[in-house]
Amino acid sequence: MSRWEDMPFARRAWLKMALWGAAGLSLLPSRWLASSSSGADEGGASEGRADAHAPLLARWAELGRVWRDWSAAAKPEARFTVVQQWERRRAELWKETDAALGALPAWPELRLLFVERSLWIADHEMSDRWAATCYVVVGPMYEDVGRAIFRQTGELEKLVAEGKLTRKAAEGAAHRLALHAEYKLRSEEAWEKANPPERFAEAEAAGTDDVEALLDWREVNRIERAYKAGRLPTGAAAELAGRRVVELIADDLGMLAGEPTEEELPTPKPADDAAKEGGS
C-alpha cells in the first residue's frame, strides 16, 4: 500500500488542499468546481435563476429556495427513473447554488455552510441510490463538517415542519453552525500559513514514507481540538452566517439577526483582481 493510502482520511484532505494551492486553484472542493463547470456547460449561457440586480430580500428568498431544493433532493422519496436525470438535477442545483450565493454576494462563512451541506447531499444522500453504478464519487473532502451541517439543519427543518422551533433552539443551532464555519475557514488559513506550496513540495521531494511528519500540523490540530470541545471562538461573520441559515430554514428572515442590509454583505471584487488571486 502506498504512503498516500496509509495516510488517515483527514490528513489526505489537507495534503490535497496543499496541492491545489500549489497549482493556484481555489480551495473549494474539487467536486464543487467540477459540478459548477459541468452545470454551466449543460445550461449554456444561463447562470441559474438568481439576479444580482434584484432587490436584496428577493435575493435572500432565492437563496432560501435553493436551500429547500437541496433538502428535497436529499429525501428518500425524491428518486429519479434513470441515472442521467439525477446527474442533470445535481448539475442544475450546483449552478443555481453558485448563482444565488454570488448574487448576494455571500461572504465566506455563509458560502461554506451552503457548499459543505450541498456536497454531502450530492455525494451521499443522492449518490447512495446509485451505489452500484460508476456514477458514485468519493466522499466529500470535508466529510465530518458537511455531515454535521446536514444532520443539524435536518433536525431544524423537522422542528419547523412540526411548529416546534423555539427561539432558544434557533439561537443554539445558529451558534453550532457558526462553529462549523469558523473551524473550517480557520483551519484552511492555518494550513496555508504553516505549509506554503514550497514546503509541501520539499516534503514530497524528500522521498520519505511519512510526508505528513515533515509538515506543520500544530495550529491545525489546536483549532481542531478547540472545535471538537466546543470552545473555538467564533467571529461576527460566522455567527451572522449561522443566524441567516436558521432564518432561511424557518422562512423568517430577520428573526435572529434583524432585517438584512446591503452593508452586511462584502463588496464584490473587480473581475481582474479576482482573476489574479485565482492564479489566472
Side-chain angles (χ1 to χ4, degrees):
M1 184 177 291
S2 70
R3 67 191 182 199
W4 177 263
E5 293 168 338
D6 282 333
M7 198 173 295
F9 177 85
R11 300 305 194 197
R12 295 201 307 270
W14 286 113
L15 295 182
K16 283 183 180 179
M17 282 182 12
L19 284 172
W20 294 345
L25 299 177
S26 166
L27 284 180
L28 283 176
S30 57
R31 281 173 304 287
W32 165 251
L33 298 173
S35 298
S36 294
S37 61
S38 64
D41 291 340
E42 292 179 17
S46 174
E47 295 297 333
R49 306 183 197 178
D51 179 2
H53 301 292
L56 179 61
L57 293 183
R59 284 178 273 150
W60 275 107
E62 173 64 7
L63 192 61
R65 179 197 66 78
V66 169
W67 181 281
R68 290 188 292 275
D69 281 359
W70 275 111
S71 297
K75 293 179 180 179
E77 61 269 23
R79 298 180 181 274
F80 304 99
T81 57
V82 293
V83 174
Q84 286 77 10
Q85 289 183 356
W86 163 73
E87 287 284 323
R88 188 180 307 113
R89 182 55 181 147
R90 189 175 73 157
E92 290 171 351
L93 284 170
W94 279 128
K95 183 169 60 177
E96 292 171 13
T97 302
D98 198 25
L101 290 169
L104 277 176
W107 60 98
E109 290 81 358
L110 179 62
R111 179 176 289 271
L112 184 142
L113 291 175
F114 265 78
V115 171
E116 292 293 331
R117 172 181 179 265
S118 300
L119 275 170
W120 181 265
I121 292 174
D123 285 354
H124 288 266
E125 302 305 313
M126 293 176 76
S127 298
D128 282 349
R129 301 167 202 154
W130 309 100
T133 78
C134 62
Y135 288 89
V136 176
V137 293
V138 177
M141 180 155 296
Y142 308 133
E143 184 169 338
D144 291 340
V145 169
R147 178 173 56 186
I149 296 170
F150 172 73
R151 290 183 175 178
Q152 181 186 331
T153 54
E155 293 173 1
L156 273 173
E157 290 173 341
K158 183 178 180 181
L159 288 175
V160 171
E162 296 173 349
K164 297 179 180 179
L165 181 63
T166 64
R167 175 87 183 193
K168 183 177 180 180
E171 290 175 344
H175 178 65
R176 288 193 296 275
L177 289 173
L179 270 174
H180 300 321
E182 190 76 31
Y183 161 65
K184 184 52 59 182
L185 291 176
R186 286 182 60 179
S187 294
E188 291 174 355
E189 182 180 359
W191 171 263
E192 287 184 304
K193 184 176 180 179
N195 298 285
E198 55 270 21
R199 182 186 179 97
F200 180 80
E202 291 171 359
E204 278 285 273
T208 176
D209 289 333
D210 191 4
V211 174
E212 81 171 273
L214 301 180
L215 301 174
D216 188 348
W217 298 94
R218 289 173 296 178
E219 183 63 11
V220 170
N221 290 338
R222 186 194 69 78
I223 293 171
E224 182 178 24
R225 288 194 298 270
Y227 165 68
K228 289 182 175 179
R231 295 195 300 267
L232 183 68
T234 53
E239 289 291 342
L240 180 60
R243 293 187 187 111
R244 291 302 186 210
V245 165
V246 171
E247 292 172 352
L248 291 178
I249 292 172
D251 196 19
D252 190 0
L253 195 61
M255 66 177 283
L256 296 179
E259 184 173 340
T261 66
E262 296 283 2
E263 286 70 28
E264 79 181 26
L265 303 174
T267 302
K269 294 181 179 179
D272 55 342
D273 288 348
K276 290 177 183 177
E277 291 185 2
S280 298

